[in-house]
Amino acid sequence: MQKGQAGYLDARKKKYGLQALLGFGIVAMILAFGIWKTHTRLNLFTVIAVLGCLPASKQLVEFITMFPYRSVDRKIVREIQEKAPLLTAAYDMVITSKECVMPIDAIVISGKTVFGYASNSKTDPVLLADYIKRTLSANGYAKMTVKIVGEFIPFISRAEGLNSMVQIDRTDDLDHEEKIRDIILTLSM
């Protein structure tokens, strides 16, 4: 599963959790084998087991970092796809800045407009919109309109409106919108 797809966060948590569990399981087996074989814990197998803890710990840290965040509900994804099929969309992002971590459920992109939905109460919509706008500007996409809302009804209404405008006046901005989406995805873990 790729970053920006619905279900990404849950898939990553599962992957990191299984890798950490497998890693620590292998470490435990190596340690137990060394003690069984030499009848002491002071052996080369113990050193190998300790070194094996490093990659397993890295996976555990990744899992713990992503654990508090959930993937967007499938009903929400379906509704966005039904009501705004012409817009470039991205889901399941946890955007990190120097100041804070801001989960965002979905964004839609139309031309020079980025509109997002962040249901998590810890996400400051104004701070997140400003951060995305500054990042886009630094990457050569100045004069972008970025708005994030915390409620789904205003989000889906605006996304539907943007989709209607695209239906009427369709310009070939898909490549432009994909580049904007990729820049926003680089901000996400």
Side-chain angles (χ1 to χ4, degrees):
M1 178 144 311
Q2 292 182 340
K3 195 184 287 190
Q5 292 180 324
Y8 173 78
L9 290 176
D10 289 343
R12 286 311 251 201
K13 283 192 292 190
K14 188 176 187 179
K15 176 187 172 192
Y16 290 139
L18 289 174
Q19 286 178 342
L21 193 61
L22 180 65
F24 283 117
I26 291 171
V27 165
M29 287 182 358
I30 291 171
L31 184 62
F33 178 76
I35 292 172
W36 174 73
K37 192 74 171 162
T38 63
H39 303 290
T40 178
R41 62 182 169 83
L42 302 175
N43 59 57
L44 187 59
F45 290 105
T46 302
V47 174
I48 293 169
V50 169
L51 291 175
C53 286
L54 295 173
S57 297
K58 181 182 182 299
Q59 297 304 315
L60 183 62
V61 167
E62 294 282 352
F63 173 76
I64 291 169
T65 303
M66 292 190 115
F67 186 75
Y69 309 107
R70 290 180 313 204
S71 288
V72 65
D73 188 358
R74 295 283 181 201
K75 293 176 191 174
I76 290 174
V77 174
R78 261 186 262 117
E79 191 166 351
I80 293 169
Q81 290 172 344
E82 288 171 7
K83 294 189 176 182
L86 300 176
L87 302 181
T88 303
Y91 307 94
D92 283 0
M93 294 170 287
V94 179
I95 295 181
T96 55
S97 72
K98 291 178 183 175
E99 297 87 28
C100 57
V101 176
M102 302 167 280
I104 184 167
D105 298 294
I107 60 165
V108 292
I109 304 165
S110 176
K112 291 188 177 274
T113 303
V114 176
F115 198 69
Y117 167 59
S119 64
N120 192 314
S121 61
K122 294 180 181 177
T123 300
D124 181 355
V126 175
L127 182 67
L128 179 56
D130 183 54
Y131 181 62
I132 292 172
K133 189 172 185 170
R134 280 186 285 130
T135 303
L136 289 172
S137 181
N139 282 281
Y141 293 94
K143 298 182 182 176
M144 295 288 298
T145 302
V146 180
K147 175 99 169 130
I148 309 295
V149 295
E151 295 183 23
F152 185 67
I153 300 298
F155 169 76
I156 197 65
S157 297
R158 179 70 175 136
E160 199 170 12
L162 288 170
N163 191 67
S164 296
M165 289 190 302
V166 169
Q167 277 180 322
I168 294 168
D169 185 33
R170 182 65 178 170
T171 57
D172 290 331
D173 286 339
L174 290 177
D175 191 43
H176 171 80
E177 292 169 3
E178 285 294 325
K179 288 178 183 173
I180 292 170
R181 179 181 183 268
D182 289 345
I183 292 168
I184 294 171
L185 289 176
T186 61
L187 301 174
S188 181
M189 53 180 197

